[in-house]
Amino acid sequence: MNRIIYLNGEFCSETDAKISIFDRSFLFSDSVYEVTTVLNGKMIDFDNHMKRLDRSMSELKFSKMLDHELIKKFHKDLILKNNLKEGIIYLHVSRGVADRSFNFPPKETDLTVVAFSQEKNLIENKESKNGISIMTLEDKRWKRCDIKTTQLLYPSFAKAEAYEKGFDDAWMLRDGYISEGTSNNAWIIKSGKILTRQADDLILNGITRQSVINCAKILGYNISYKGFTLTDAISADEAFITSATTFVTPVVNINGKKISTGKPGEFTGKLREEYIKNSLKTAI
Ligand code: PMP
């Protein structure tokens, strides 16, 4: 594949793109990102991704902000130039290029902005049909998981650990409660109620999570944000994950124990359908 990518105001082939070795992203993971879903060549929840991007950048005290209309334009251009029908646009913004120093660079330093497309079957895939298996491990990330930084080593470690042990993914535990997945938010359904964790500093407030909360309300489900333990999860009626690339995907097995019958749950399926229907309606 030779994609056309976006780098600092210009489009070029992915093989020609070059970034300085002094980029803060390379030296300090001093960068934030967003992943916007594309379905039928249109973007899902773009404005909410931009709001979260602004929040991540201001929490990290980036000295400049980016114009949403400009970002929208190069996202749309990438979709067209790469003939993307289903997949994602990945956007990465770093604090820029500066001599290596733990201190932040001068305020006038230009940000580095990169975006590229990636094709992926998001609607039809075996995970959404059959469900996925999860293992749990301790959440050892820093305590600002609400900021979408590219400092993703621990989640990457956790996912690799899960794969090595024969699971599809991992959920992380903090103080006995499930915080979230390596790259998704975690949910269970128990006695007709949907449970998830409150969105504070210890999880990423997923854009899909916020959309799914709306879908759950449309479908008349009650949601509790008090969180849940591993014991709650294993004895749940249904479990699922949400993210921009998995939408609503059933979890059928945790640490080798079946959730209910070990088949994807009925309400999970309805939520997924509602989420896809609403997303297609509001896509731009
Ligand atoms: N939590 C974490 C840790 C994530 O990395 C992600 C996806 N990047 C999510 C939750 C889901 O967020 P979204 O729905 O915006 O994709």
Side-chain angles (χ1 to χ4, degrees):
M1 191 192 291
N2 190 358
R3 284 164 287 195
I4 300 295
I5 66 99
Y6 174 90
L7 172 59
N8 294 333
E10 282 171 21
F11 294 94
C12 68
S13 145
E14 66 180 56
T15 50
D16 294 335
K18 285 191 176 51
I19 294 180
S20 164
I21 61 157
F22 296 106
D23 197 283
R24 300 268 311 173
S25 180
F26 181 62
L27 297 176
F28 293 99
S29 292
D30 189 359
S31 36
V32 297
Y33 75 110
E34 280 298 328
V35 172
T36 303
T37 310
V38 174
L39 289 179
N40 297 340
K42 288 184 168 180
M43 294 184 288
I44 310 299
D45 265 334
F46 177 79
D47 291 340
N48 288 330
H49 283 287
M50 291 306 102
K51 277 186 204 149
R52 188 172 62 187
L53 176 72
D54 283 355
R55 184 177 180 280
S56 295
M57 289 170 69
S58 73
E59 289 297 306
L60 289 183
K61 299 187 166 66
F62 275 33
S63 57
K64 299 177 181 180
M65 299 304 273
L66 296 174
D67 176 47
H68 294 179
E69 283 308 310
L70 178 99
I71 301 177
K72 192 190 283 176
K73 172 87 174 73
F74 69 69
H75 272 54
K76 288 194 165 181
D77 286 344
L78 283 176
I79 292 171
L80 288 175
K81 286 178 193 294
N82 293 289
N83 193 25
L84 180 67
K85 297 290 176 240
E86 191 166 321
I88 59 139
I89 301 289
Y90 173 89
L91 169 68
H92 185 125
V93 184
S94 108
R95 206 184 301 266
V97 177
D99 253 353
R100 187 178 183 278
S101 159
F102 279 77
N103 209 348
F104 290 160
K107 291 208 178 323
E108 59 278 10
T109 306
D110 286 335
L111 304 176
T112 303
V113 183
V114 178
F116 58 81
S117 61
Q118 204 156 285
E119 284 176 19
K120 198 168 160 65
N121 287 337
L122 301 173
I123 295 190
E124 297 291 336
N125 53 54
K126 69 175 187 348
E127 290 81 9
S128 62
K129 225 171 261 147
N130 306 332
I132 59 166
S133 63
I134 292 287
M135 70 166 254
T136 54
L137 44 62
E138 212 186 312
D139 194 338
K140 293 188 179 172
R141 297 173 301 166
W142 75 332
K143 292 183 180 163
R144 288 308 308 273
C145 303
D146 56 313
I147 309 173
K148 199 166 169 64
T149 78
T150 62
Q151 182 206 46
L152 294 168
L153 195 52
Y154 189 70
S156 176
F157 171 87
K159 196 148 201 158
E161 182 98 345
Y163 269 48
E164 205 179 290
K165 297 204 161 107
F167 296 92
D168 296 311
D169 207 339
W171 278 1
M172 295 175 278
L173 280 159
R174 214 190 272 264
D175 299 328
Y177 280 80
I178 303 286
S179 50
E180 59 183 334
T182 56
S183 56
N184 46 67
N185 291 117
W187 311 67
I188 58 169
I189 306 181
K190 212 174 161 83
S191 311
K193 192 182 256 183
I194 300 181
L195 285 102
T196 194
R197 200 187 182 293
Q198 60 178 329
D200 55 17
D201 290 0
L202 298 179
I203 66 164
L204 184 76
N205 191 3
I207 301 303
T208 321
R209 177 185 184 273
Q210 296 164 44
S211 230
V212 164
I213 287 170
N214 270 339
C215 295
K217 285 181 185 156
I218 293 169
L219 294 173
Y221 303 154
N222 282 322
I223 305 176
S224 158
Y225 301 98
K226 71 178 175 56
F228 58 90
T229 63
L230 175 57
T231 312
D232 294 330
I234 286 167
S235 61
D237 302 319
E238 302 187 21
F240 61 94
I241 56 167
T242 59
S243 76
T245 51
T246 60
F247 303 164
V248 176
T249 291
V251 170
V252 293
N253 190 303
I254 300 178
N255 291 345
K257 298 192 176 77
K258 279 185 194 170
I259 304 305
S260 186
T261 60
K263 300 250 157 55
E266 185 189 339
F267 291 113
T268 303
K270 285 186 182 160
L271 265 178
R272 181 177 171 88
E273 261 175 46
E274 185 69 25
Y275 173 77
I276 293 173
K277 192 178 86 185
N278 278 341
S279 298
L280 287 171
K281 235 193 281 171
T282 53
I284 58 163

